[in-house]
Amino acid sequence: MFDSHVHSLFSPDSEAPMIRILDESIQKGLKSLCFTDHFDLDFDGKDHDLTFDIKEYFSTIHKLQNQYQGQIDICAGIELGLQPHVLNRYEDLLQGEPFDYILASIHSVDRQDLFSGSFFDSRDQIMAYFDYFSSLKECIIRYDDFQALGHIDVIKRYGNYPKSLSFSSYREILREIMRILIDKGKGIELNTSGIRYGLEAFHPSIEILKDYKDLGGEIITLGSDSHTANGTGAHFPEALALLHQLGFKYYASFRKQQAIFHKIEDSL
């Protein structure tokens, strides 16, 4: 199996050394993983960045690729926290950097961090979801330097609402977003961390996966969004079984920003 969303101590919210992550992943039988550490510019609207030293990152990756050659395939990725006002900065910062995989995500909206900011204080649930998806739509229209969109319905994790907003309330704008991704040749991620967050479902939910397939979407990656040494590959058998049930034949990983497709039935 191929885990395309893994965080190490290069992410500010993880303390897991890459070497421990790799050792644990080998024991689990993972064939490949991609480190996708956080890179969020101005995540709080106060010019605070959550980033890492890219040169040091690649130096570490290259050493580990040599050390673990023949044991597990290691890819160099990054998870970009998109916001409309920082897109040009990402283009400049990442130009020429040899990432295998660029995962685009939304962690902040209107310069407010979804996790700890005041984003939800001035919005009811419907408006919060609408603003999140509107920002997401604007970003993917304007920005092209990524291969897949991470945890597309991550807004469900936050806001301390008694329950998630009904899918029908935001289905149309989400279908618009997925059409844009498909037209641009971008994929989406099946992120298994929804289970870890107590949502009793993956990101995205089964309804979104069905719509993605109905719209002609074929590029889908598998990511644990692990922030610990032993979290890689979490719930992958269930995730692959779900994709198979929905009629997907393949899931993807990326090398040199080119998709590699893997037969789902080979991992069941």
Side-chain angles (χ1 to χ4, degrees):
M1 291 185 287
F2 299 75
D3 193 337
S4 296
H5 191 163
V6 178
H7 295 280
S8 75
L9 51 70
F10 279 92
S11 283
D13 57 352
S14 173
E15 297 181 357
M18 285 183 170
I19 194 166
R20 285 193 57 205
I21 294 170
L22 292 167
D23 288 342
E24 292 275 0
S25 299
I26 290 169
Q27 290 184 19
K28 293 178 179 180
L30 288 180
K31 295 181 178 180
S32 173
L33 63 79
C34 187
F35 289 106
T36 51
D37 286 305
H38 285 296
F39 208 96
D40 285 58
L41 297 177
D42 192 25
F43 77 98
D44 61 355
K46 300 176 181 177
D47 291 324
H48 293 146
D49 301 335
L50 298 177
T51 64
F52 56 86
D53 186 314
I54 292 178
K55 289 184 178 179
E56 182 184 356
Y57 172 82
F58 276 112
S59 175
T60 304
I61 289 283
H62 292 153
K63 289 177 183 176
L64 292 172
Q65 286 173 332
N66 290 328
Q67 181 178 344
Y68 284 86
Q69 188 173 10
Q71 299 181 69
I72 189 168
D73 186 39
I74 304 168
C75 297
I78 189 170
E79 183 178 11
L80 297 184
L82 302 187
Q83 293 187 80
H85 71 287
V86 299
L87 299 180
N88 291 338
R89 291 178 62 193
Y90 281 135
E91 290 176 357
D92 294 338
L93 281 167
L94 300 184
Q95 188 170 9
E97 298 292 354
F99 286 103
D100 290 304
Y101 178 49
I102 300 175
L103 177 66
S105 299
I106 295 280
H107 301 121
S108 302
V109 179
D110 289 344
R111 309 190 187 203
Q112 298 172 85
D113 176 23
L114 296 177
F115 175 72
S116 58
S118 57
F119 174 75
F120 297 96
D121 294 346
S122 59
R123 297 167 172 83
D124 62 20
Q125 190 175 19
I126 292 176
M127 183 57 68
Y129 277 55
F130 177 79
D131 287 350
Y132 166 79
F133 286 115
S134 295
S135 180
L136 180 52
K137 180 181 176 181
E138 179 181 355
C139 286
I140 64 168
I141 288 174
R142 291 177 46 195
Y143 192 71
D144 289 324
D145 294 336
F146 68 98
Q147 285 72 59
L149 187 64
H151 45 55
I152 194 169
D153 56 353
V154 72
I155 186 73
K156 295 192 299 188
R157 290 184 192 171
Y158 306 114
N160 293 318
Y161 299 115
K163 60 181 181 179
S164 297
L165 196 66
S166 67
F167 175 55
S168 61
S169 300
Y170 54 89
R171 184 182 186 188
E172 286 310 310
I173 189 171
L174 193 46
R175 285 176 69 89
E176 291 175 18
I177 289 168
M178 290 191 289
R179 287 191 190 99
I180 294 166
L181 291 171
I182 293 167
D183 288 346
K184 286 191 168 193
K186 311 298 184 184
I188 67 169
E189 170 194 56
L190 177 52
N191 183 309
T192 62
S193 71
I195 304 299
R196 188 173 76 241
Y197 283 94
L199 297 177
E200 299 181 353
F202 300 131
H203 292 303
S205 63
I206 187 171
E207 296 91 349
I208 298 172
L209 291 171
K210 287 178 178 178
D211 270 3
Y212 181 65
K213 189 172 190 306
D214 179 61
L215 292 167
E218 296 180 337
I219 303 173
I220 186 161
T221 64
L222 202 58
S224 64
D225 202 353
S226 172
H227 288 69
T228 62
N230 62 356
T232 57
H235 304 289
F236 276 21
E238 303 99 302
L240 288 168
L242 175 61
L243 290 176
H244 186 260
Q245 173 189 332
L246 295 177
F248 289 95
K249 303 297 183 184
Y250 303 90
Y251 71 105
S253 62
F254 284 84
R255 172 67 79 172
K256 296 182 178 179
Q257 299 185 26
Q258 298 298 312
I260 302 168
F261 292 95
H262 313 282
K263 286 185 178 182
I264 291 174
E265 63 182 16
D266 289 345
S267 298
L268 294 175

